[in-house]
Amino acid sequence: MAEHRVAVVTGASRGIGRAIATSLAAAGQAVVVGYAGNEVAAKQVVDEITAAGGQAVAAQADVADEDAVAALFDTATRTFGGVDVVVNSAGRMALSPIAELDLDDLDAMHRTNIRGTFVVAREAARRLRPGGAVVLLSTSVVGLQFPGYGGYAASKGAVEAMTLVLARELRGRDITVNAVAPGPTATDLFLEGKDEATIEHLAKQPPLERLGTPADIAAVVAFLAGPGGRWVNGQVVRANGGII
C-alpha cells in the first residue's frame, strides 16, 4: 500500500461527494476534488481541506467523457504522484413514474450514472496502484422499490453489477472494489422538490428514525477506502439506518 495515499473523488463539490472528499483528506489522503461545473463550490472544498492542513486540488470533468476522466487522473498523478483511491460520487436523479418518464431525462441520467460510472471505473482499473480501493455510489432504492424511482434505480442497479464484476476482474492486483448504497440522505439533491410531510415520512422509515447525513455516508466510504476496510471486497454496503 502506498505510503502517501491519493484519492480521486468525483461529484465532490457538494453533498455526499463533498463530505467524502473532506473525510478522506482528514484521514491523511491527498484529494483530487472532481466537479462537473461548479468551480466555485469545488474551490471551496479545496480551501476547506487545505485550511485543515490537508492536500487537495480541484479538477473539472464530465464523468461520461473518457478524455476528461483520463485528464482527471493525469492531474492526480502529476500533482500527487499517483492514484490509490477512486470514489465515484457523481450522479444524476430524475424522478417520475416509469409510464411518464421523459426519455431524454432517462438518457441523461443513464449517461451520467451508468456510462459515467463505467468510464471512471475503467480508468481506475487501469491506473490504481496496489493496495488501492474503488468505491462506487449506488442507492438503497435498488432494493426498496419506491414508486417514481424506476429509471434512477435501474441506473444504480447497473452500478452494483459493475462493482461485483470489477472486484473479480482485479484478482491479483490487491485492489478492493465496493459500492455504498445510501438510503434517504439530507442533501440538496434529495430534498429538492419534496414537501415537509414527505421528508418527515421518509425520515421515520429507518428504525433509527432520521434521515442520513452526508457525514454518515462519508464515514462508510472512508472505512472502505482505508486500512480497516481491506478485507471487504465485492460488496454493496446499504448505508441506510436499517430501512426496509
Side-chain angles (χ1 to χ4, degrees), residues 22 40 75 86 94 126 135-136 165 175 184 200 239 243:
T22 57
V40 172
T75 296
V86 174
R126 293 173 173 178
V135 184
L136 306 177
V165 171
I175 294 170
E200 181 67 19
I243 189 171

Side-chain angles (χ1 to χ4, degrees), residues 46-82:
V46 170
D47 289 345
E48 180 181 345
I49 290 171
T50 55
Q55 293 180 285
V57 62
Q60 191 275 336
D62 170 1
V63 290
D65 180 336
E66 62 268 36
D67 293 332
V69 170
L72 187 67
F73 279 71
D74 288 342
T75 296
T77 300
R78 183 174 60 253
T79 308
F80 300 121

Side-chain angles (χ1 to χ4, degrees), residues 104-146:
D104 287 340
D105 290 340
L106 180 72
D107 289 343
M109 184 163 54
H110 284 193
R111 182 180 184 276
T112 297
N113 295 358
I114 300 178
R115 179 187 167 96
T117 300
F118 191 95
V119 169
V120 172
R122 185 179 72 161
E123 202 66 30
R126 293 173 173 178
R127 304 239 204 164
L128 279 187
R129 296 186 283 205
V134 179
V135 184
L136 306 177
L137 270 290
S138 179
T139 172
S140 284
V141 297
V142 170
L144 295 172
Q145 295 99 38
F146 287 162

Side-chain angles (χ1 to χ4, degrees), residues 142-239:
V142 170
L144 295 172
Q145 295 99 38
F146 287 162
Y149 284 80
Y152 181 65
S155 72
K156 293 299 192 174
V159 170
E160 296 189 6
M162 279 183 239
T163 301
L164 305 182
V165 171
L166 185 59
R168 287 148 182 83
E169 289 181 346
L170 296 183
R171 173 182 291 274
R173 295 269 305 277
D174 190 26
I175 294 170
T176 62
V177 185
N178 295 287
V180 174
T185 304
T187 64
D188 291 341
L189 181 68
F190 172 78
L191 297 172
E192 184 179 355
K194 294 182 175 70
D195 59 29
E196 285 297 323
T198 299
I199 293 169
E200 181 67 19
H201 172 73
L202 289 169
K204 291 295 185 182
Q205 297 304 299
L208 296 177
E209 294 191 333
R210 66 172 177 85
L211 294 176
T213 67
D216 290 326
I217 310 307
V220 178
V221 172
F223 167 73
L224 293 172
R230 295 305 301 166
W231 196 234
V232 183
N233 189 30
Q235 304 299 315
V236 178
V237 181
R238 303 215 177 280

